[in-house]
Amino acid sequence: MNNDPIILAFCCHYCAYAAADLAGSMRLQYPSNVRVLRLPCTGKLEVNYLLAAFERGVDGVIVAGCLEGGCHFLEGNLRARRRTERARELLAEIGIEPERLEMFNLSSAEGSRFAEIVTLMSERLQRLGPSPLRKGRESVHEAVEQMSAEAEAALAGDER
Amino acid sequence: MIVADRKSVGEIRDMVQEHRRVLLVGCGTCVTVCLAGGEREVGILGSALRMALKLARRGNVTVDECTIERQCEDAFIDALAPRVGEYDAICSLGCGAGVQALAERFPKKAVYPGLNTQFIGILESQGVWTEKCAGCGNCRLGEFSGICPLTRCAKRLLNGPCGGSQDGKCEVNADLPCGWQMIYDRARELGNLDTLYHIAAPHDWSTSHDGGPRKVVREDQCIAGLGPRA
């Protein structure tokens, strides 16, 4: 639908990305307006990645990392939580609802939780309405595709 | 190092919003180390400022970013100079010296501070910086076992402690260690307690903020014949 919020999900390769995969294998229904962007770990996330997403007009951002204590790189998810908090403070300072950004923790076995998270954020963003920075849906989709392609290219480089 | 923190996005937006093209300039030295004005912080502020300007219906203002190695030395500003012509204002994420160095180098450009310069200090723990030096121009750390009473004592007492020192804490703030307790403890460790019998003379503040900006001149390093003005 044209009124659906555009959501970008920064997902850790070891948990949320696999959980999203599992949600698909389980044929679970969740809103299709989320674009999953794979990170090697949420510890890779920087505050300016989050701000860049909002600057390009996305309506909301999900950060999804491993359960606390379960990070493949020990504390990447804990760092991501602090960076997400800082980005939320900055959003409030700028004048954008900080609720548009939230971090969740889940394991790779929680396909249904992934579906729940996306549904929750989608409903929340429906209530908040479109981002005041969004111009046209097409330009946002293009920007999201570009960010996703850049992340995948960086990841491919890391894996080589 | 010089420690600073960022001004609010709203304050920076209000300073620059009447311009059309603004260049955010970071500094790769002290303010990078204290996480206030390095390349990463410039990127974050750039993004935040563009969003804040759009929301204030000033989306026509272009905000670009760059970071140079050191703003407080003219030779390093050379790297920035070719780009500056494209902008009508600069917002510096350097310390106060950096902002003024840019203002001197580019007399026809508006230059704004993006940071509040705080003090000369050190990293106390991850993410925490503490003031250690007031830059008074007349260092007496040798008299006080290496701990400066002018910065570490809330009352700047040279003959302390005062009656407000309790259990090693200052009466001004229960989280603040008493500077004079620290001086005493360190003097005891060093076996120098007798130095505390001496009455410290009043501080000579004429070497501090007095008579305009201070200057340090090394004649042997000045270019021959041109003197300190070279």
Side-chain angles (χ1 to χ4, degrees):
Chain A
M1 262 176 34
N2 261 354
N3 291 331
D4 282 347
I6 301 170
I7 306 173
L8 186 60
F10 288 96
C11 291
C12 161
H13 168 77
Y14 291 95
C15 55
Y17 192 79
D21 222 5
L22 182 61
S25 305
M26 291 166 74
R27 304 281 186 268
L28 295 174
Q29 293 296 313
Y30 64 83
S32 58
N33 45 315
V34 61
R35 183 71 164 91
V36 173
L37 196 150
R38 183 168 65 123
L39 295 174
C41 168
T42 48
K44 177 78 179 76
L45 197 70
E46 299 272 2
V47 173
N48 49 358
Y49 293 8
L50 298 169
L51 295 186
F54 284 101
E55 195 183 343
R56 283 159 178 74
V58 300
D59 298 308
V61 174
I62 293 169
V63 178
C66 297
L67 296 170
E68 293 197 0
C71 174
H72 196 78
F73 300 99
L74 303 178
E75 54 179 41
N77 54 352
L78 305 179
R79 288 169 189 234
R81 180 162 292 284
R82 293 210 297 263
R83 290 172 193 162
T84 306
E85 281 308 313
R86 174 145 189 253
R88 281 168 66 103
E89 286 164 17
L90 274 159
L91 288 178
E93 214 180 302
I94 294 162
I96 297 171
E97 301 92 341
E99 299 83 10
R100 292 182 182 275
L101 166 65
E102 186 151 347
M103 176 161 181
F104 299 89
N105 299 88
L106 72 170
S107 83
S108 58
E110 293 179 290
S112 54
R113 170 127 168 90
F114 182 82
E116 275 171 29
I117 288 167
V118 175
T119 309
L120 174 106
M121 280 300 277
S122 188
E123 286 172 0
R124 182 189 296 175
L125 293 164
Q126 289 273 15
R127 278 199 306 278
L128 289 170
S131 161
L133 293 163
R134 197 215 279 181
K135 277 187 182 158
R137 290 184 71 82
E138 280 312 307
S139 64
V140 182
H141 279 303
E142 268 172 36
V144 166
E145 288 302 322
Q146 193 189 346
M147 287 178 78
S148 177
E150 282 169 11
E152 278 300 322
L155 209 53
D158 287 347
E159 282 167 359
R160 266 203 305 273
Chain B
M1 76 178 141
I2 294 169
V3 179
D5 62 356
R6 181 176 53 78
K7 286 181 177 288
S8 73
V9 175
E11 186 178 351
I12 298 171
R13 177 201 60 209
D14 291 348
M15 285 191 289
V16 304
Q17 66 182 1
E18 299 303 330
H19 295 280
R20 296 193 66 79
R21 292 181 60 80
V22 180
L23 183 62
L24 291 182
V25 182
C27 176
T29 315
C30 309
V31 292
T32 292
V33 181
C34 69
L35 307 179
E39 194 170 358
R40 182 182 298 170
E41 298 302 317
V42 168
I44 291 170
L45 178 66
S47 214
L49 189 57
R50 282 188 291 271
M51 285 193 270
L53 284 163
K54 265 187 203 165
L55 291 177
R57 299 186 184 281
R58 298 279 182 170
N60 58 334
V61 182
T62 302
V63 177
D64 289 337
E65 302 142 17
C66 80
T67 300
I68 58 174
E69 188 61 32
R70 197 176 301 166
Q71 282 189 19
C72 59
E73 264 186 67
D74 204 42
F76 288 93
I77 303 177
D78 287 347
L80 175 70
R83 287 191 68 182
V84 166
E86 304 163 30
Y87 299 89
D88 54 348
I90 295 170
C91 178
S92 160
L93 269 78
C95 69
V99 178
Q100 293 181 67
L102 294 182
E104 281 177 24
R105 175 71 183 260
F106 306 112
K108 291 185 177 165
K109 299 286 171 197
V111 178
Y112 299 101
L115 302 182
N116 290 316
T117 306
Q118 299 290 350
F119 48 75
I120 302 172
I122 63 171
L123 182 73
E124 186 180 293
S125 61
Q126 186 70 27
V128 180
W129 293 267
T130 312
E131 183 174 12
K132 298 291 180 191
C133 176
C136 69
N138 180 17
C139 187
R140 296 170 67 183
L141 281 165
E143 287 177 57
F144 303 106
S145 303
I147 293 167
C148 176
L150 295 174
T151 44
R152 313 286 290 277
C153 168
K155 299 176 183 177
R156 296 188 167 194
L157 294 180
L158 291 176
N159 293 285
C162 69
S165 173
Q166 299 209 341
D167 302 324
K169 299 292 182 192
C170 175
E171 67 175 345
V172 168
N173 178 348
D175 295 327
L176 189 67
C178 168
W180 270 97
Q181 180 73 50
M182 289 190 286
I183 292 170
Y184 177 85
D185 291 344
R186 193 163 149 76
R188 191 174 54 188
E189 282 293 313
L190 295 171
N192 282 344
L193 275 178
D194 58 316
T195 60
L196 300 180
Y197 283 110
H198 300 294
I199 305 294
H203 198 63
D204 176 8
W205 287 102
S206 68
T207 54
S208 185
H209 285 288
D210 181 77
R214 293 171 281 174
K215 194 171 272 200
V216 173
V217 180
R218 273 278 303 270
E219 292 287 356
D220 61 319
Q221 294 293 316
C222 296
I223 296 173
L226 294 176
R229 288 190 173 276

